[in-house]
Amino acid sequence: MYVGTLSFDLLLGDVRSLKEKRSVVRPIVAELQRKYAVSAAEVDHMDLYRRAQIGLAVVSGDAAHVSDVLDRCERLVAGRPEVELLSVRRRFHGDDD
């Protein structure tokens, strides 16, 4: 069994309230879940309206599949014009861990 995780630190564009923040972050989380069948959620910076941290995890029996899904998720978030990707943290856990 292999588990991969990603953590995205995002700077949101022209957002002036937590309500506007939710309208930017929720569609990203929903698209990640729908397109790639990953577990995803906003995990930090809940009280800051121009920052967000999204975390996701994927589990598979194939290490190459986990790596491919993580790559696709990273490209999806990096390609969103309404957010600036400040950093990405990737972790990979295999049977040897």
Side-chain angles (χ1 to χ4, degrees):
M1 176 176 70
Y2 300 94
V3 178
T5 62
L6 283 176
S7 176
F8 302 105
D9 191 8
L10 305 173
L11 179 64
L12 307 180
D14 188 26
V15 174
R16 295 191 181 98
S17 70
L18 292 175
K19 185 176 180 179
E20 287 181 31
K21 175 185 178 178
R22 282 193 306 274
S23 73
V24 172
V25 173
R26 277 185 171 168
I28 295 171
V29 170
E31 187 173 4
L32 287 166
Q33 292 169 333
R34 187 183 79 255
K35 280 183 120 172
Y36 302 113
V38 297
S39 295
E42 183 180 1
V43 295
D44 200 3
H45 306 307
M46 305 292 200
D47 56 341
L48 302 175
Y49 61 86
R50 292 213 52 227
R51 292 285 299 275
Q53 186 168 3
I54 295 175
L56 67 84
V58 60
V59 178
S60 178
D62 181 20
H65 177 72
V66 171
S67 183
D68 182 52
V69 170
L70 294 179
D71 289 343
R72 290 174 187 226
C73 289
E74 187 172 343
R75 281 194 300 272
L76 183 141
V77 173
R80 298 295 291 243
E82 67 272 22
V83 299
E84 181 181 340
L85 186 57
L86 298 177
S87 68
V88 179
R89 182 174 183 159
R90 180 184 290 230
R91 289 193 176 176
F92 193 85
H93 308 281
D95 288 333
D96 299 335
D97 294 346

